[in-house]
Amino acid sequence: MRLRHPDGSVVHLAYCTNVHPAETLDGVLGQLDTHCAAVRERLGVPRLGIGLWLARDAAHTLDTDPQAVRTLRTALDRAGLEVVTLNGFPYQGFGAEEVKYRVYEPDWADPERLAYTLALARVLAALLPDDAAEGTISTLPLAWRTAHDAPRAARAHAALTELAGRLDDLHAATGRSVRVALEPEPGCVVETCADAIGPLTSVGHARLGICVDTCHLATSFEEPEPALAALAAAGVEVVKCQLSAALHAEHPDRPEVRAALAAFDEPRFLHQTRATTGSGLLGTDDLGPALAGGTLPTDTPWRAHFHVPLHAPPAEPLTSTLPVLRRTVAALVGGERPLTRHLEVETYTWQALPPALRPHDAGQLADGIAAELSLARDLLTDHGLKELP
């Protein structure tokens, strides 16, 4: 969906297709009618933005076969869909039964990450609507923290520097502007917005910026207003924002709260869990170790990296960090000009929810995604944005 900001600029709202992952182009094409068009129909809009996740194999096919790009663009047009942003964080296997730490491979010290991201940039330049100002790609925040020594950090810096130059070349060759955004995530080298400032200013290029994921922001207990202000002061632009909500437990010392949290401890994804103390942030790599005890304090709230549906927070005694999302949106689009023009709902964990909360079929999934997008649209229109036909 497109909305007009009071300053006259166009803001794009999409949802990320990593919720129904596919590894091949045929799988991506199958998503468009089965899932994406169904969401668009439920919203009653003539055009819906989708943030495509293209796994390595699909990206390679599109990057090396111009006919494949034409096929995809034709299918998008036929389904009433458009693409201005890609999710370039997962490389492959995001639909596997166990993802966990593998989602951080390859990292920015590995040549495969640069090659994959450049392929995505070339594909996005070919998919952009003719009237779109630019395309964006969210990417891995350098590396998982334990795999990032000084030599690997140097290689990652060199890769980002090369990426920026190659994006300039792409713009010169095609006239299409593509920007790439590091997406801070708990447990990674770049865990917070503050952590992103050093790596991005050291490269110092307008083609690179940050993707603020509001679930990750909340999980790390970052306050959106000062975090965004610090980015602006450092000259780091918010290239993209992923609208998502984390799991919040106000009283983790209570047995009923721990039982409710345990229902979200599932084997597919990491659910990094954090708590704040007087001496700083404490955390575990997953929800299970937090519940096992001995690591996090229980007299202060916990937040877990579990993308819960925006419109349907978990039942008491748990809740979600939707208020953090609301404040972030207000800071990003509530001013005289938008601080980002690409917003993407990213709840990829529908099938990882406790069984009673999962959608039972494609129709129920489309209902849920449409409800999330409707909520996000309302947040934007509350700040004076007008939906465009």
Side-chain angles (χ1 to χ4, degrees):
M1 290 180 281
R2 298 185 183 193
L3 300 98
R4 180 82 64 188
H5 190 273
D7 78 339
S9 61
V10 174
V11 172
H12 293 265
L13 173 63
Y15 90 91
C16 186
T17 63
N18 62 356
V19 62
H20 19 253
E23 299 289 318
T24 66
L25 176 58
D26 285 344
V28 171
L29 291 170
Q31 294 172 355
L32 303 185
D33 289 326
T34 302
H35 299 292
C36 304
V39 173
R40 180 186 61 76
E41 290 166 2
R42 282 160 170 77
L43 288 166
V45 296
R47 174 175 51 191
L48 176 65
I50 57 171
L52 274 181
W53 174 60
L54 299 173
R56 178 198 61 184
D57 290 349
H60 177 75
T61 298
L62 290 163
D63 186 39
T64 57
D65 183 356
Q67 180 57 46
V69 174
R70 288 191 290 271
T71 297
L72 176 55
R73 186 156 183 173
T74 297
L76 289 166
D77 291 342
R78 185 178 62 245
L81 306 169
E82 68 176 6
V83 175
V84 300
T85 190
L86 302 179
N87 186 329
F89 193 138
Y91 180 71
Q92 61 182 354
F94 201 59
E97 291 185 4
E98 182 178 330
V99 178
K100 298 288 185 183
Y101 294 96
R102 286 183 289 179
V103 75
Y104 308 107
E105 300 171 353
D107 65 32
W108 273 102
D110 296 320
E112 293 87 351
R113 175 60 63 172
L114 175 61
Y116 169 62
T117 306
L118 287 170
L120 291 178
R122 291 186 291 265
V123 170
L124 181 56
L127 291 178
L128 283 175
D130 294 338
D131 61 347
E134 70 176 16
T136 60
I137 301 170
S138 48
T139 189
L140 179 77
L142 297 185
W144 184 254
R145 67 186 187 282
T146 58
H148 203 66
D149 56 17
R152 294 185 69 82
R155 294 203 297 273
H157 180 273
L160 289 178
T161 301
E162 181 177 350
L163 171 68
R166 297 283 291 275
L167 292 175
D168 278 344
D169 294 342
L170 180 66
H171 183 234
T174 66
R176 315 314 300 273
S177 177
V178 175
R179 304 178 72 195
V180 174
L182 298 183
E183 180 188 331
E185 175 164 319
C188 292
V189 173
V190 175
E191 171 158 343
T192 65
C193 292
D195 293 338
I197 292 173
L200 288 171
T201 55
S202 69
V203 176
H205 199 288
R207 300 278 177 208
L208 304 183
I210 190 171
C211 171
V212 175
D213 183 303
T214 56
C215 170
H216 303 171
L217 183 87
T219 300
S220 295
F221 286 89
E222 279 196 283
E223 297 295 331
E225 297 87 357
L228 294 173
L231 292 172
V236 174
E237 293 193 25
V238 181
V239 170
K240 173 179 176 179
C241 179
Q242 288 177 324
L243 305 178
S244 53
L247 196 60
H248 180 94
E250 185 69 19
H251 300 288
D253 57 321
R254 297 178 181 176
E256 65 272 21
V257 174
R258 298 174 77 83
L261 283 171
F264 288 85
D265 181 23
E266 54 84 37
R268 186 172 175 184
F269 300 111
L270 280 184
H271 301 297
Q272 301 94 313
T273 305
R274 299 289 185 265
T276 56
T277 69
S279 57
L281 196 67
L282 295 179
T284 59
D285 285 355
D286 214 343
L287 182 54
L291 291 170
T295 304
L296 299 184
T298 58
D299 58 351
T300 189
W302 291 2
R303 289 178 179 172
H305 173 215
F306 196 116
H307 290 223
V308 295
L310 303 186
H311 68 294
E316 293 183 355
L318 303 178
T319 187
S320 80
T321 60
L322 184 62
V324 176
L325 184 156
R326 292 181 183 274
R327 290 167 53 202
T328 306
V329 169
L332 288 173
V333 304
E336 293 183 357
R337 64 179 185 87
L339 301 183
T340 188
R341 294 182 177 87
H342 288 183
L343 302 164
E344 176 186 77
V345 171
E346 197 215 12
T347 304
Y348 59 83
T349 44
W350 282 94
Q351 297 303 336
L353 290 166
L357 304 180
R358 295 175 193 168
H360 299 302
D361 54 36
Q364 288 189 0
L365 178 59
D367 290 341
I369 295 170
E372 290 191 293
L373 282 165
S374 181
L375 182 151
R377 176 176 56 187
D378 289 348
L379 288 179
L380 297 177
T381 58
D382 285 347
H383 290 289
L385 281 74
K386 304 294 185 183
E387 188 174 356
L388 296 172

